[in-house]
Amino acid sequence: MATDPRNPSDSYLAFWREYHMCTLTTPRPDGTPHVVAVGVTYDPEGGEKGIARVITNKNSRKVANILAAGAEGARVAVCQVDKGRWATLEGVARIRTDAETVADAVARYAERYGRTPSPNPDRVVIEIALTRAMGRA
């Protein structure tokens, strides 16, 4: 079921605020999907249509895949499932490295997942400008 990523229902937004591990799917340079488990935060008020964020190491495969897509960014999807409930956010991912953006993403992660990650000088943010949301929450 389609959802406006900027204006989700209360139940959809609440689902994205619960503790759930998610998957991130990025395209490899050969076009095949690379799927990994990640923590995701969802900000429907960020950007033009909402933003999802993933914190990660700058040397990860997912970061390399996004960077390989070039300046226009990579089309990606994040998804979470809990029994019969599911939610997917799609959009264009870019890598953000500035300290303020990284600190904000870490704070959002800590709020959702109940723990602050250990300091990591190689941490970056995968910032996803949302284009579509769907699910049953």
Side-chain angles (χ1 to χ4, degrees):
M1 171 162 46
T3 295
D4 178 355
R6 190 85 163 138
N7 212 1
S9 68
D10 290 343
S11 63
Y12 191 84
L13 186 56
F15 185 46
W16 276 104
R17 294 204 166 127
E18 295 172 10
Y19 186 110
H20 296 287
M21 292 308 298
C22 305
T23 60
L24 167 68
T25 303
T26 60
R28 291 184 181 100
D30 69 2
T32 59
H34 176 255
V35 183
V36 294
V38 294
V40 176
T41 60
Y42 171 36
D43 175 12
E45 296 175 4
E48 236 177 81
K49 291 188 177 181
I51 294 174
R53 294 174 181 88
V54 175
I55 57 174
T56 190
N57 190 293
K58 70 180 181 182
N59 299 311
S60 68
R61 177 78 255 165
K62 54 192 164 287
V63 169
N65 290 342
I66 293 165
L67 292 174
E72 293 183 18
R75 302 273 316 153
V76 304
V78 292
C79 183
Q80 65 181 19
V81 177
D82 178 44
K83 299 178 183 160
R85 299 183 305 159
W86 63 275
T88 298
L89 300 170
E90 297 178 5
V92 178
R94 291 182 178 82
I95 305 304
R96 301 284 305 268
T97 60
D98 62 282
E100 185 177 323
T101 299
V102 172
D104 177 62
V106 167
R108 290 171 187 272
Y109 177 96
E111 183 178 333
R112 180 174 188 196
Y113 292 100
R115 70 172 195 84
T116 301
S118 301
N120 178 354
D122 291 333
R123 181 171 288 130
V124 298
V125 178
I126 298 171
E127 190 173 86
I128 306 164
L130 301 177
T131 57
R132 181 179 296 154
M134 59 192 116
R136 178 179 287 156

